[in-house]
Amino acid sequence: MKEVIIHPGTRAELIDSPIPTPQAHQLLIKVAVTGINQKDWKFPDWTSASINQGDDIAGTIHTMGPDVKDFKPGDRVAALHQLGAPGGSYAEYAVAWDYTTFHIPSFLSFEGNAPSLPACSCPKTKTRPLPHSTLTPFSTEASTLPLPSTTAALALYHNLHLPLPTSPASTPLPLIIHNASSAVGSFAIKLATASKIHPIIAICGAGAPYVNTLLSPSLGDRIIDYRNGSSAIIQGIKDGVQNAGCEAVNHAFDATTADGSWRQLADAMDGKRAITFVLFEWQGKEMPAGMDLTQTQVGMIHGDEKAAAMRDFASMYFGLLSKGLEDGWMAPHPHRVFDGGLESGIQEALLELKAGKASAVKFVMPV
């Protein structure tokens, strides 16, 4: 099969590789579309490793390993690949664990055109797509979901211990989401809304028009523009909490962890609160004593010292994700399709991500 390896320096290389063999509880998926994430260009530079970095899979089950239940060959599925393991989604075939795989609902697509999907819209753009890329509102939706939505779920429900949609909040529960227009931040808003967590204080920039479609101002939700500077962010958070009639905000998800975002949140929350971060830049920095600070890494879903518990969490969440899509409270992220082929398409997308050209949109590519 054809496979793309990402090297340090954001260089994509197309190679020939053997088709993987799925092990127990694994699925071999014929990839229709792969998602493309920020980490895919960052990790090679951080680790000096050259591997297939693709982790968002949408396609059909080709074969299965032993002990797989509830799936069969030919099923349309989306899945989260185990980060750093062989069998990534930048290839014709990819491998995923059964507990991080879900069936794609009939109304959702992974390729071609699909019926209009409620609550899913792409931001308007005044710029023309570059060569080999198109903006489409209702194609390749499924590949936008696995990695960013799982990251958001881990942040809210595992690290911040917020109520699940199955047992939603019954009283006001303020939540700050920094970088709310990113795929991770937007999925956090969707999950929080399903859990009846309000007010949501969403910090974003140019992606504000899209974020605004996800919020409920009548419940105290509001947007803060990070481009106005740290002082405006801190004051905006405090004003948002006060205007919603709440005494304090105790939970924050920093889905950017850059440019001093950690300090903005800590100062606005007056210490002794819970913040979870997607990146490591906050570590080693001076932070108020008594704060519950955690790291949200999507790779933890596939195992750590509490591997069995994480598998249980993954099974719960992927079942919840599938139900959310069916019930309509979960929807894919706006996306941009790159169709230049495995090597050149992925290379182009990664370079645009690296240049900061993605706002309120996720990059995906048919394989």
Side-chain angles (χ1 to χ4, degrees), residues 26-30 59-64 68 70-77 93 101 103:
Q26 289 185 334
L27 308 169
L28 179 66
I29 300 170
K30 178 69 174 70
T60 53
I61 296 177
H62 183 69
T63 56
M64 305 185 302
V68 173
D70 302 322
F71 296 100
K72 65 182 185 301
D75 283 354
R76 293 176 0 122
V77 295
Y93 294 87
T101 302
H103 290 96

Side-chain angles (χ1 to χ4, degrees), residues 134-146:
T134 56
L135 283 167
T136 59
F138 298 115
S139 64
T140 63
E141 298 101 334
S143 64
T144 71
L145 288 154

Side-chain angles (χ1 to χ4, degrees), residues 238-259:
K238 293 182 177 181
D239 290 346
V241 173
Q242 184 177 20
N243 293 342
C246 300
E247 293 184 359
V249 55
N250 296 328
H251 303 91
F253 176 30
D254 188 349
T256 184
T257 322
D259 300 323

